[in-house]
């Protein structure tokens, strides 16, 4: 029986004591009984480097020193960054307001005006007040006796001039019995008799000379009529000009006074002064806008529709669109400081702002009042936090963001513009100068992809805030973690945690870190476990979260997520996938792999087999041959080939043909963590030494035969343990791991319990020789002074087999050469 | 409440010329007929002068700016047909809305003459102010002719002023009738009625939609002055009978 028997001295030396399989956290060492007793922690634990980078990035005032916060998800980056920024921003000045106003000279190019904080809203209110005042004052002025008299004088003058001309013509015509008639088509001249138009039959009965005479008179009068009518538009234009001039004069009296009042309120601001000057001119030119709502003349069928939404749509031209104001009230603004804006859905419109349109009688129209601020506008003068992945996945946002940062100004752009999809009435508002610190939060992969693929990235995001995945597990960090657990519970109004519950969470933090000496910094995962534990504690009507609630939460999480794992392991326990957990076999070994599906990862044993024969020194990795093996796996196989070639039968050519297979593996195989198992199987096949099937092996090997650390050691052990447990623990079963992985062991408690009862063992090996002895129960064997391995050892048997293959190959080559020579002689 | 000596009109006679200004007059006539609950007779008069003109060899019309077009009998007939269809359609829609019975005819002749000829005692006449050309004397001369038969005459402006007060000029003769009619119109339109004296009307500066008064009041104020004031407001005017006595006229 091989050496995995605990009686075997090799096995006894290599087996790890149960206490080393899981580094437990002693609740007593935490020095509290409940987290209700301890202070909360108000900082991000273990992220000194990242926070220092953010602090630097927010203080340095040069172009391109924007921040990319990279690190694992659920590490509390967003919350920590926000907390940090809000704290810092509170001490910084409130940025200026930005408003858009009508550009009266070019309405499609609205003007942007920068105003001291709070002034934008005041100006908006003042302009509204102005319009309200003028709505009442202008119509009243235009209804005044003075205006009406002056207007009537113009109209009378016009009508008198017109009537005078007609009267003169009428009088002239009457002398000749010719009348002027108003017809649907215009004015006409006709011969009269007794004040009535001469009937055609009467006219036709006249002598030709009489008719000619009448026609001549009419012809002569027609010239006069034509002259009068031609002059009418001139008179009408003159009348309109006089009315406009009168309107402007009357409007100026009212408008000038009102504008002066507003100008006095904002004295000293040149931009407002200039704007009000434009408003004054436009109001005077368009005073009749204020009269129309009262007259409601011929509003047309869509009048009611037009009135919807805006009280007086025509007055929108005088509105103030306060794009950004950080100051609703002055006192509040003083407390708020610089803005810290986070955009959860960073579409192009939400980042850069957008220009709304509304449908008007089937057409899309817009104006400067429909310009909406984006996150960049709101964050201008402060900080903008964006999720890098979302920015990159939203069309055009990344390029637009870079453009704004590069040009230091915000220019409106829409997806439709970018794609030239629609052509409708649109605006080109003034761009707005940009001074913002952008903090992109994303995964490391994104950071490095951007750094390598986007040449602008380095210039625009010069500060890297790299968040740690794990922190060292020490007394201090454990104490800090305990406070962190307590803080989460308190901030979310959860039940307090007992010391034992906290200890279990710290152990879980180490497990999540896959390292007994480290703690994960993905506190979001721990927060979820605390929330679930709170649920179970509440369901159990307890007044605090205890260790059984944490265990229940962990068990339930595992149960919910491990359906695929259970089905996978079930194929082994039902002997569909062949994995032995007892007995011995030559050239066959249990390897261990980790399967990752989404968030789930679990260990699973796989049978690895090796077959050998005489050949040309080639080890065939069947996985690679069929392109199921990844490059790292292939590298592992090449390394073990090299180990064989350089350790055994050095004086002769390598005359081995060997094949290695992951049996019943139908997916890809990647990583070199099975390379030691493959080598053991190969040595077993060469030495004809049976391997103990009660054991499973993980670990990579180098050319020198040293066993190296691998990842996922806990899951791998647990995967094999679950198979063995399902089949019944024999006391001979266990897992061989690299000694370098001992510090990563944070095994489940049931495995630790089984180990403490000698039902299951974990062996730590440093070399191939240690491993092969453990697996075969045979000594590995060292080379003696004569250069030969000790007789009966695995190494001696391997070397003998390789020498035998070499001899066979030599003799086969000789006989082949002789046969060839004989053939030639016969020819 | 109507004064006891006032009898509601029996019919509403709407007189239209062949010009295009008919919609406002139709609306006003329909509203009046609906208010007093009577039928509406529309006369679209085909002016005889125009028909005669169209038969002359040199019939030409000069439009604004001096544009010349030839007037033919066929063209004029087509124009009358078109106008009559437009009027019928507008009448049908307005009367359907207000549940008023209506008829339309297209007599030939002179507009005022045809309306006067069709009026029966107790009817109300509605017509465009533009149909009564000339100064105050000519306009109110025509109104006087109409009121010799009609109970009331409504003159409709060419431009609508739908928003504004209903003003009754109520210090003169027949004031009670004018005020009662004004209140009836005000109730229907949902606006407050302002009862003012003639001097107050001169100074009234708020928008006016309708003026209700008596012919006698107009004669007292001066026909030209009243017409000027009326055209300045753009309001519709409802005139009821009641004239100055001969001594009063002489006194004035």
């Amino acid at each position: 029986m091989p050496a995995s028997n605990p009686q075997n001295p090799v096995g006894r030396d290599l087996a790890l004591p149960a206490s080393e399989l899981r580094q437990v956290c002693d609740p007593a060492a935490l020095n509290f009984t409940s987290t209700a007793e301890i202070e909360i922690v108000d900082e991000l634990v273990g992220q000194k480097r990242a926070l220092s980078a953010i602090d630097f990035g927010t203080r340095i005032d040069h172009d391109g020193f924007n921040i990319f916060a990279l690190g694992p998800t659920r590490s509390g980056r967003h919350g920590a960054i926000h907390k940090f920024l809000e704290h810092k921003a509170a001490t910084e000045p409130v940025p200026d307001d930005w408003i858009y106003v009508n550009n009266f000279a070019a309405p499609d190019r609205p003007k942007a005006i920068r105003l001291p904080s709070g002034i934008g809203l005041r100006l908006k209110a003042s302009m509204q007040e102005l319009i309200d005042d003028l709505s009442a004052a202008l119509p009243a002025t235009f209804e005044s006796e003075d205006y009406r008299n002056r207007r009537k004088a113009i109209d009378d003058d016009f009508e008198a001039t017109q009537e005078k001309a007609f009267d003169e013509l009428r009088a002239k015509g009457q002398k000749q019995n010719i009348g002027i008639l108003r017809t649907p088509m215009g004015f006409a001249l006709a011969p009269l008799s007794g004040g009535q138009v001469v009937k055609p039959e009467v006219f036709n009965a006249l002598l030709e000379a009489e008719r000619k005479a009448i026609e001549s008179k009419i012809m002569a009068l027609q010239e006069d009529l034509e002259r009068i009518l031609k002059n009418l538009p001139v008179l009408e234009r003159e009348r309109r000009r006089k009315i406009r001039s009168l309107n402007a004069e009357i409007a100026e009296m009212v408008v000038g006074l009102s504008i002066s009042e507003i100008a006095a309120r904002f004295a000293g601001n040149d931009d407002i002064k200039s704007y009000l000057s434009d408003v004054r001119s436009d109001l005077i030119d368009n005073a009749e806008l204020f009269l129309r709502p009262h007259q409601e003349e011929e509003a047309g069928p869509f009048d009611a529709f037009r009135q919807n939404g805006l009280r007086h749509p025509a007055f929108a031209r005088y509105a103030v669109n306060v794009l950004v104001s950080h100051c609703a009230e002055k006192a509040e603004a003083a407390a708020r400081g610089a803005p810290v804006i986070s955009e959860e859905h960073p579409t192009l419109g939400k980042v850069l702002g957008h220009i709304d349109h509304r449908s008007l009688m089937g057409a899309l129209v817009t104006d400067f009042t429909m310009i909406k601020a984006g996150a960049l506008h709101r964050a201008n003068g402060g900080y903008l936090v964006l999720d890098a992945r979302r920015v990159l996945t939203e069309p055009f946002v990344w390029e637009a963001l870079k453009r704004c940062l590069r040009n230091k100004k915000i220019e409106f752009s829409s997806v439709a513009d970018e794609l030239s999809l629609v052509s409708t009435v649109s605006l080109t508002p003034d761009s707005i100068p940009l001074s913002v610190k952008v903090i992109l939060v994303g995964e490391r992969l994104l950071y490095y992809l951007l750094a390598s693929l986007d040449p602008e990235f380095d210039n625009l995001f010069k500060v890297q805030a790299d968040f740690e995945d794990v922190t060292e597990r020490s007394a201090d960090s454990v104490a800090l973690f305990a406070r962190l657990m307590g803080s989460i519970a308190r901030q979310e109004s959860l039940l307090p945690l007992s010391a034992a519950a906290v200890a279990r969470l710290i152990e879980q933090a180490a497990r999540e870190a896959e390292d007994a000496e480290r703690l994960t910094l993905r506190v979001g995962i721990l927060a979820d476990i605390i929330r679930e534990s709170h649920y179970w504690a509440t369901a159990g009507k307890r007044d605090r979260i205890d260790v059984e609630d944490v265990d229940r939460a962990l068990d339930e999480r595992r149960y919910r997520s491990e359906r695929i794992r259970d089905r996978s392991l079930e194929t082994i326990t039902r002997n569909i996938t062949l994995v032995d957990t007892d007995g011995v076999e030559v050239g066959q070994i249990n390897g261990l792999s980790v399967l990752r599906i989404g968030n789930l990862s679990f260990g699973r044993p796989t049978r690895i087999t090796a077959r050998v024969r005489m050949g040309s020194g080639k080890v065939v990795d069947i996985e690679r041959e069929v392109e199921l093996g990844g490059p790292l796996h292939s590298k592992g196989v090449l390394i073990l080939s090299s180990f064989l070639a350089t350790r055994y039968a050095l004086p002769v050519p390598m005359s081995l043909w060997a094949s290695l297979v992951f049996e019943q593996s139908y997916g890809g195989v990647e990583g070199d963590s099975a390379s030691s198992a493959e080598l053991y199987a190969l040595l077993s096949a060469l030495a004809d030494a049976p391997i103990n099937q009660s054991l499973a092996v993980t670990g990579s090997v180098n050319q020198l035969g040293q066993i190296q650390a691998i990842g996922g050691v806990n899951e791998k052990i647990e995967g094999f343990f679950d198979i063995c447990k399902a089949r019944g623990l024999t006391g001979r079963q266990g897992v061989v791991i690299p000694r370098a992985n001992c510090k990563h062991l944070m095994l489940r408690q049931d495995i630790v319990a089984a180990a403490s009862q000698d039902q299951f063992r974990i062996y730590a090996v440093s070399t191939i020789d240690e491993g092969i002895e453990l697996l075969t129960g045979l000594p590995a064997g060292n080379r003696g002074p004569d250069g030969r391995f000790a007789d009966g050892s695995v190494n001696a048997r391997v070397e003998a087999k390789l020498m035998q293959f070499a001899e066979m190959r030599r003799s086969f080559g000789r006989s082949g050469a002789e046969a060839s020579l004989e053939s030639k002689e016969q020819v | 409440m109507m004064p006891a000596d006032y009898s509601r009109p029996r019919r509403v006679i709407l007189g239209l010329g062949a010009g295009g200004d008919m919609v406002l007059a139709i609306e006003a006539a329909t509203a009046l007929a609906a208010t007093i609950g009577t039928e509406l007779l529309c006369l679209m008069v085909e002016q005889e002068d125009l028909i005669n003109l169209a038969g002359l060899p040199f019939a030409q019309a000069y439009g604004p700016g001096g544009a010349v077009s030839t007037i033919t009998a066929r063209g004029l007939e087509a124009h009358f047909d078109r106008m009559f269809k437009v009027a019928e359609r507008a009448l049908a829609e307005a009367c359907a809305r207000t549940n008023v019975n209506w008829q339309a005819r297209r007599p030939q002749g002179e507009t005022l003459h045809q309306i006067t000829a069709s009026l029966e005692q107790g009817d109300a006449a509605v017509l465009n102010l533009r149909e009564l050309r000339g100064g105050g004397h000519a306009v109110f001369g025509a109104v006087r002719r109409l009121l010799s038969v009609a109970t009331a005459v409504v003159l409709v402006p060419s431009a609508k002023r739908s928003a504004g007060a209903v003003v009754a000029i109520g210090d003169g003769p027949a004031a009670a009738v004018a005020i009662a009619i004004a209140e009836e119109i005000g109730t229907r339109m949902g606006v407050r009625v302002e009862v003012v004296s003639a001097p107050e009307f001169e100074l009234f500066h708020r928008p006016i939609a309708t003026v209700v008064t008596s012919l006698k009041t107009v004669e007292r104020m001066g026909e030209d002055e009243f017409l000027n004031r009326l055209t300045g407001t753009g309001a519709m005017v409802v005139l009821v009978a009641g004239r100055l006595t001969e001594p009063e006229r002489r006194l004035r």
Side-chain angles (χ1 to χ4, degrees):
Chain A
M1 197 64 190
S4 59
N5 187 323
Q7 304 305 316
N8 183 306
V10 175
R12 265 207 311 277
D13 289 346
L14 300 178
L16 296 173
S19 59
E20 289 186 25
L21 303 185
R22 177 185 179 94
Q23 191 172 330
V24 295
C25 177
D26 181 7
L30 294 174
N31 295 322
F32 62 83
T33 55
S34 160
T35 54
E37 302 161 13
I38 57 175
E39 281 181 30
I40 64 165
V41 56
D42 196 24
E43 62 188 44
L44 199 58
V45 174
Q47 300 291 7
K48 190 178 167 193
R49 187 200 312 265
L51 293 178
S52 163
I54 293 170
D55 185 43
F56 165 75
T58 52
R59 284 179 195 282
I60 188 167
D61 189 20
H62 290 284
D63 292 348
F65 280 85
N66 296 296
I67 302 166
F68 195 111
L70 60 153
T73 55
R74 315 206 64 189
S75 58
R77 289 169 305 171
H78 283 276
I81 289 168
H82 266 282
K83 194 176 284 182
F84 180 91
L85 294 178
E86 276 163 11
H87 187 259
K88 184 167 188 307
T91 63
E92 295 175 354
V94 179
D96 289 337
D97 292 353
W98 279 99
I99 63 170
Y100 271 110
V101 294
N102 191 21
N103 182 343
F104 297 102
D108 63 326
R109 305 184 67 85
K111 282 183 180 173
I113 300 178
R114 177 184 211 141
L115 297 173
S117 179
I119 300 296
L121 289 171
R122 282 178 52 203
L123 180 63
K124 179 182 181 175
S126 295
M127 289 304 293
Q128 184 59 53
E129 198 181 313
L130 170 75
I131 298 306
D132 287 347
D133 288 349
L134 292 179
S135 298
L138 275 174
T141 308
F142 280 92
E143 293 279 351
S144 69
E145 195 70 21
D146 175 47
Y147 173 78
R148 273 173 27 203
N149 289 340
R150 293 174 67 181
R151 168 80 185 253
K152 190 164 185 306
I154 295 169
D155 289 342
D156 287 353
D157 189 37
F158 167 73
E159 279 170 21
T161 310
Q162 192 179 318
E163 280 305 315
K164 189 182 169 201
F166 275 107
D167 285 348
E168 284 171 2
L169 184 63
R170 203 173 283 123
K172 194 173 172 183
Q174 269 177 354
K175 284 180 189 167
Q176 303 173 59
N177 275 335
I178 304 294
I180 302 175
L181 295 182
R182 193 187 292 264
T183 76
M185 288 72 85
F187 292 96
L189 296 165
L192 299 177
S193 174
Q196 301 294 314
V197 174
V198 174
K199 293 187 175 180
E201 57 271 26
V202 175
F203 180 82
N204 291 332
L206 294 174
L207 296 173
E208 188 175 355
E210 289 171 326
R211 293 203 303 269
K212 289 277 184 199
I214 289 171
E215 283 182 36
S216 313
K217 288 179 199 170
I218 286 177
M219 289 289 280
L221 288 169
Q222 272 175 352
E223 283 176 20
D224 291 343
L225 177 61
E226 206 172 338
R227 186 171 37 76
I228 292 169
L229 290 171
K230 277 183 178 165
N231 195 39
L232 279 184
V234 179
L235 291 175
E236 177 61 30
R237 264 201 303 278
E238 179 61 14
R239 172 177 165 267
R240 284 203 302 270
R241 190 193 61 74
K242 284 180 178 172
I243 290 173
R244 267 202 306 275
S245 173
L246 173 64
N247 288 351
E249 184 190 328
I250 296 291
E252 190 162 7
M253 288 191 301
V254 182
V255 171
L257 187 66
S258 300
I259 291 277
S260 302
E261 285 174 18
I262 296 179
R265 283 182 219 165
F266 300 98
N269 190 310
D270 290 342
D271 287 328
I272 294 181
K273 189 177 171 187
S274 166
Y275 168 63
L276 290 177
S277 170
D278 293 345
V279 170
R280 177 196 169 104
S281 304
D282 193 78
L283 278 168
I284 290 167
D285 289 346
N286 296 286
E288 62 186 33
L289 287 176
F290 291 82
L291 310 181
R292 281 185 187 154
H294 299 272
Q295 290 175 348
E296 294 182 7
E297 288 174 357
E298 301 297 327
F302 297 104
D303 186 54
F305 174 72
R306 280 198 301 125
Q307 297 295 328
N308 286 342
L310 287 168
R311 195 156 48 107
H312 298 305
F315 299 159
R317 60 200 280 115
Y318 306 114
V320 171
N321 179 358
V322 181
L323 194 72
V324 183
S325 176
H326 300 283
C327 177
E329 290 169 30
K330 205 164 186 174
E332 188 189 336
R336 201 190 296 162
V340 178
I341 302 297
S342 181
E343 180 52 64
E344 292 298 312
H345 186 199
T347 60
L348 189 61
K350 288 187 174 178
V351 174
L352 257 65
H354 62 282
I355 301 169
D356 279 346
H357 287 75
R358 68 189 166 96
S359 175
L360 182 66
M361 296 167 67
L364 290 176
V365 296
T366 187
D367 60 47
F368 72 97
T369 62
M370 285 188 261
I371 300 173
K372 307 292 181 194
L376 278 172
H377 295 102
R378 296 197 306 277
N380 203 0
Y383 304 94
L384 175 60
V385 184
L386 294 170
D387 184 277
R389 180 175 288 275
R390 291 177 193 161
V391 166
L392 290 165
T393 51
E394 285 293 339
F396 305 110
V397 174
W398 176 239
E399 287 303 321
L401 178 64
K402 284 193 300 178
R403 189 167 58 242
C404 290
L405 292 174
R406 192 173 57 234
N407 299 336
K408 291 190 281 185
K409 60 185 179 184
I410 312 169
E411 285 175 332
F412 285 91
S413 176
S414 69
V415 174
D417 291 340
E418 297 282 350
L419 295 172
S420 303
L421 278 179
V422 291
S423 175
T424 185
V425 178
S426 195
L427 304 174
T428 312
D430 282 355
S431 59
I432 289 180
L434 177 65
S435 169
V436 68
K437 195 68 83 172
V438 175
I439 297 95
L440 279 182
V441 183
E443 301 131 62
R444 285 201 181 84
L445 175 66
L446 290 178
Y447 177 84
Y448 292 114
L449 281 174
L450 287 169
S452 62
L453 298 175
D454 189 334
E456 288 181 309
F457 179 70
D458 282 345
N459 282 334
L460 295 174
F461 290 88
K462 293 178 180 173
V463 181
Q464 177 186 148
D466 198 349
F467 282 72
E468 297 280 4
D469 296 84
V470 295
T471 187
E472 194 181 347
R473 183 176 177 181
S474 63
D476 286 346
S477 64
V478 165
L480 203 54
F481 253 69
R483 286 173 59 200
L484 181 64
M485 306 292 112
S487 305
I488 293 169
R490 214 172 296 175
Q491 282 161 2
E492 298 193 15
S493 302
L494 306 176
L495 293 171
L497 296 107
S498 70
V502 170
R504 184 56 45 82
L505 284 165
I506 286 168
E507 289 168 13
Q508 184 63 24
R511 233 182 105 80
E512 294 289 346
E514 297 187 1
D515 193 330
E517 296 172 359
R518 296 284 183 273
L519 297 172
T520 184
L521 289 174
R522 298 174 69 191
V523 290
I525 296 171
L526 299 176
D528 276 349
I529 298 171
I530 295 171
R531 291 177 194 118
E532 290 184 34
S533 304
H534 166 85
Y535 171 81
W536 294 114
T538 308
K541 301 195 185 322
R542 284 182 283 282
D543 58 2
R544 69 177 182 184
I545 300 168
D546 219 331
V547 66
E548 59 263 34
D549 299 315
V550 178
D551 283 342
R552 177 79 187 269
L554 293 172
D555 289 345
E556 292 287 342
R557 285 167 75 86
R558 203 174 296 129
Y559 175 72
R560 287 198 300 271
S561 64
E562 289 189 344
R563 187 191 66 81
I564 293 173
R565 174 185 183 276
D566 291 349
R567 295 290 85 79
S568 174
L569 298 185
E570 191 180 80
T571 62
I572 296 172
T573 55
R574 293 175 66 203
N575 293 323
I576 296 167
T577 300
L578 301 179
V579 173
D580 290 343
T581 51
D582 207 355
V584 294
E585 288 293 337
V586 171
Q588 174 180 308
I589 196 166
N590 294 323
L592 291 168
S593 56
V594 172
L595 275 69
R596 296 186 196 281
I597 303 169
N599 291 329
L600 174 68
S601 67
F602 60 91
R604 184 176 188 273
T606 304
R607 172 178 289 177
I608 300 171
T609 58
R611 288 293 178 264
V612 294
R613 53 156 287 173
M614 182 274 285
S616 59
K618 187 178 182 185
V619 176
V620 175
D621 172 16
I622 289 182
E623 307 303 322
R624 187 178 60 179
E625 295 294 316
V626 297
E627 296 183 352
L628 283 175
L632 295 181
H633 178 257
S634 300
K635 180 186 174 187
V637 173
L638 292 173
I639 287 171
L640 70 87
S641 306
S642 170
F643 170 79
L644 279 178
T646 54
R647 187 175 209 194
Y648 301 108
L650 296 175
V652 297
M654 190 70 172
S655 304
L656 165 71
W657 179 92
S659 64
L660 289 166
V661 178
F662 273 62
E663 302 289 357
Q664 293 182 288
S665 165
Y666 306 108
V669 177
E670 180 54 315
D672 63 352
S673 70
S675 61
S676 68
E678 289 171 312
L679 182 53
Y680 292 136
L682 206 48
L683 293 176
S684 163
L686 284 166
D688 198 20
I691 286 178
N692 183 357
Q693 300 298 306
S694 303
L695 298 176
V697 177
T698 182
S700 69
V701 64
N702 64 16
Q703 290 193 105
L704 306 175
Q706 295 166 322
I707 304 297
Q708 303 166 144
I710 45 77
V713 66
N714 293 304
E715 286 103 325
K716 287 174 177 172
I717 294 169
E718 286 164 4
F720 189 64
F721 174 81
D722 288 338
I723 297 293
C724 295
K725 189 179 176 186
R727 288 177 173 170
L729 294 172
T730 61
R732 294 184 296 276
Q733 292 146 333
V735 175
V736 183
I737 66 166
R739 184 161 292 282
N741 279 116
C742 289
K743 57 176 74 70
H744 300 139
L745 291 175
M746 278 303 293
L747 291 169
R748 282 193 333 240
Q749 288 171 313
D750 55 342
I751 301 177
V752 177
S756 64
Q757 293 164 20
D758 286 338
Q759 291 179 325
F760 196 79
R761 287 184 187 77
I762 310 301
Y763 301 96
V765 296
S766 301
T767 63
I768 281 292
D769 287 343
E770 283 180 355
I772 199 70
E773 286 183 0
L774 181 65
L775 292 162
T776 60
L778 296 171
N782 296 320
R783 286 193 191 277
D786 58 352
R788 295 165 62 92
F789 287 108
D791 284 347
S793 67
V794 174
N795 287 334
R797 290 162 73 164
V798 169
E799 190 156 70
K801 177 67 84 177
L802 290 173
M803 291 297 283
Q804 184 191 341
F805 284 158
E807 185 56 39
M808 282 171 67
R809 190 178 172 201
R810 189 169 56 182
S811 60
F812 178 77
R814 192 186 305 124
S815 62
E818 285 167 359
S820 172
L821 190 60
E822 283 169 9
S823 306
K824 283 180 184 173
E825 285 172 353
Q826 284 170 358
V827 170
Chain B
M1 181 71 76
M2 281 291 167
D5 60 343
Y6 177 78
S7 59
R8 282 171 179 270
R10 296 185 318 110
R11 286 187 309 168
V12 173
I13 308 295
L14 167 63
L16 298 175
D21 301 336
M22 58 175 67
V23 175
L24 296 181
I26 288 172
E27 290 286 346
T30 313
L32 178 62
T35 304
I36 59 183
T38 186
E39 65 178 28
L40 171 64
L41 172 62
C42 174
L43 303 174
M44 206 198 82
V45 183
E46 297 175 2
Q47 289 142 292
E48 199 171 23
D49 279 352
L50 291 182
I51 294 168
N52 289 337
L53 173 66
L56 296 174
F58 42 76
Q60 283 186 316
Y62 292 80
V68 183
S69 55
T70 303
I71 301 172
T72 63
R74 182 177 289 183
L76 195 63
E77 181 66 23
H79 173 75
F80 286 147
D81 287 347
R82 203 161 47 243
M83 287 296 107
F84 191 67
K85 278 180 186 162
V86 170
E88 277 190 317
R89 197 157 50 238
L91 274 168
E93 284 175 13
C95 291
R97 247 189 348 259
T98 50
N99 204 20
V100 167
N101 290 327
W102 64 280
Q103 288 180 59
R105 294 181 203 151
R106 46 190 292 192
Q108 289 184 352
E110 194 265 324
T111 307
L112 189 61
H113 176 77
Q114 287 298 327
I115 294 171
T116 310
S118 299
L119 278 174
E120 293 171 12
Q121 200 66 41
D123 286 346
V126 178
L127 65 167
N128 275 318
L129 189 54
R130 275 182 75 169
E131 297 294 335
L132 308 176
R133 284 189 291 275
H137 184 70
V139 168
F140 290 101
V143 170
R144 209 169 283 119
R145 272 173 64 191
L146 293 167
L147 279 177
S148 63
V149 184
T151 301
V153 172
V154 179
L155 300 180
V156 182
S158 53
K160 183 185 182 184
R161 181 189 276 282
S162 60
V166 174
V167 174
I169 308 176
D171 62 347
V177 173
I179 293 168
I181 292 173
E183 282 178 347
E184 207 156 347
I185 295 171
T187 305
R188 181 179 170 78
M189 291 171 64
V191 295
R192 202 162 64 84
V193 175
E194 309 256 4
V195 180
V196 298
S197 63
E200 285 170 338
F201 178 66
E202 289 291 337
L203 300 172
F204 197 90
H205 61 81
R206 289 196 297 281
I208 304 172
T210 308
V211 175
V212 188
T213 190
S214 67
L215 185 58
K216 197 164 187 174
T217 304
V218 174
E219 288 170 345
R220 271 186 169 181
M221 290 171 70
E223 290 162 343
D224 284 335
E225 289 79 359
F226 181 82
L227 191 62
N228 280 343
R229 183 76 182 91
L230 193 68
T231 48
T233 63
M236 182 175 80
V237 62
V238 180
L239 291 151
V240 292
R243 297 183 53 188
L244 291 177
T245 59
E246 201 49 42
E248 284 173 327
R249 190 182 299 279
R250 278 203 298 276
L251 191 63
R252 182 171 162 73

